Amino acid sequence: MPEEPKNFIILETVDSTNNYAMGIVQKGVANSGDAVFALEQTAGRGRRGKSWESRKGENIVLTVISEMQWLPVLSQFHLSVAVAVACHDFLSGYVENDIKIKWPNDIFINDRKAGGILIENVLKGHIWQWAIMGIGLNINQEEFETGNLRAISLKQIIGKSFNVSSLARELHENVLAKISDLKNDGYGKMLEAYNKNLFARNKKVKLKKGNTIFETTVQQVSPSGELITKDVMERTFSFDEIEWIL
């Protein structure tokens, strides 16, 4: 059977593309594979409740919706890997620079933040019904808040502007392709790509756990999503257990 056509919804302004996507899922009018793209997002957010800064019409502000009954709830990190690798591969088509995936949900270019991913889920009992995959990538923005000195955009790297709507459509297709790969037992290969492009791999970094800041060397990310590091001993950390000190 041919796949149903995927909707690509373009909004002039919205509080959050994830909120909008969650709304159409809850109303029962979403199709798996639909995308929501906004020129302006007034209340964008990242993990840990952090805000996401994006000037109107200058960046990719995109949410992709997917039905998820085919993947166990305990395998949620598999989808995170698929989306991160999709973003990495998409950017690789435009820049030859050092594109890295910073565990668990950021995209870095030249050691500076180029984007972030926020996946929210709809669960019913032990069934993973829907995933709401929010992606923000810096495309044409050249000035960022003073508190965000580590941000970088494609325009700053390449020196030219892009059509953000066209790029968002391309990224949408990349994400759908990686989800298809995930359905076809492609997780092992994607995790290998994730670790190959892992930010600060084999480098000493500063992490914060509770009130303690310590140095350790990044090794890799485990199949279930823990960050593995090594100093006097091997350590493993879950998503919200630590913070990076950059």
Side-chain angles (χ1 to χ4, degrees):
M1 290 179 62
E3 287 192 14
E4 291 183 12
K6 308 298 187 290
N7 295 317
F8 189 88
I9 301 166
I10 299 178
L11 305 173
E12 185 72 23
T13 185
V14 71
D15 60 343
S16 157
T17 54
N18 269 27
N19 287 353
Y20 187 96
M22 187 68 78
I24 63 176
V25 164
Q26 292 173 343
K27 290 174 185 175
V29 296
N31 300 301
S32 188
D34 285 356
V36 181
F37 168 74
L39 292 170
E40 181 180 40
Q41 185 174 241
T42 59
R45 62 188 188 281
R47 293 182 71 252
R48 297 175 179 262
K50 293 180 180 178
S51 62
W52 176 259
E53 175 199 358
S54 179
R55 293 193 176 182
K56 184 173 182 178
E58 294 190 359
N59 302 310
I60 290 177
V61 180
L62 178 73
T63 295
V64 181
I65 301 168
S66 181
E67 286 188 291
M68 296 303 302
Q69 292 94 331
W70 51 274
L71 194 63
V73 173
L74 293 177
S75 298
Q76 290 182 36
F77 185 67
H78 294 202
L79 184 64
S80 295
V81 168
V83 177
V85 173
C87 291
H88 178 277
D89 290 356
F90 163 75
L91 288 169
S92 296
Y94 293 91
V95 295
E96 296 179 356
N97 300 62
D98 203 21
I99 306 167
K100 297 296 182 183
I101 299 167
K102 177 175 163 286
W103 178 88
N105 68 320
D106 288 332
I107 306 296
F108 271 48
I109 303 177
N110 296 344
D111 291 338
R112 296 170 67 184
K113 186 172 178 177
I117 299 162
L118 176 65
I119 301 178
E120 298 178 297
N121 300 306
V122 177
L123 306 176
K124 188 173 184 180
H126 297 292
I127 304 299
W128 187 3
Q129 290 194 313
W130 294 90
I132 310 297
M133 298 164 274
I135 304 168
L137 292 180
N138 298 329
I139 304 299
N140 293 328
Q141 188 165 334
E142 294 186 275
E143 295 181 2
F144 297 88
E145 292 179 359
T146 52
N148 196 10
L149 297 176
R150 293 186 62 87
I152 196 169
S153 69
L154 278 188
K155 185 175 181 180
Q156 287 176 313
I157 296 167
I158 299 174
K160 72 172 187 177
S161 297
F162 295 85
N163 182 312
V164 290
S165 176
S166 295
L167 291 193
R169 288 180 184 274
E170 182 184 339
L171 177 58
H172 176 213
E173 293 300 323
N174 277 35
V175 170
L176 295 184
K178 285 294 182 283
I179 292 174
S180 179
D181 289 345
L182 194 58
K183 286 182 178 179
N184 291 305
D185 298 321
Y187 179 60
K189 188 175 180 180
M190 276 188 277
L191 181 63
E192 187 178 318
Y194 185 103
N195 275 314
K196 179 183 177 182
N197 297 291
L198 183 64
F199 176 77
R201 188 177 189 185
N202 298 321
K203 294 181 179 179
K204 189 175 287 187
V205 298
K206 285 186 179 180
L207 301 177
K208 182 179 181 182
K209 182 177 179 179
N211 294 320
T212 304
I213 295 175
F214 58 96
E215 287 191 338
T216 188
T217 300
V218 173
Q219 300 289 297
Q220 62 182 341
V221 173
S222 74
S224 54
E226 292 88 10
L227 181 68
I228 301 172
T229 73
K230 191 171 184 179
D231 37 79
V232 294
M233 59 182 286
E234 185 173 279
R235 305 177 188 272
T236 61
F237 302 103
S238 58
F239 292 160
D240 293 316
E241 192 176 354
I242 56 168
E243 292 182 55
W244 295 78
I245 306 298
L246 298 175

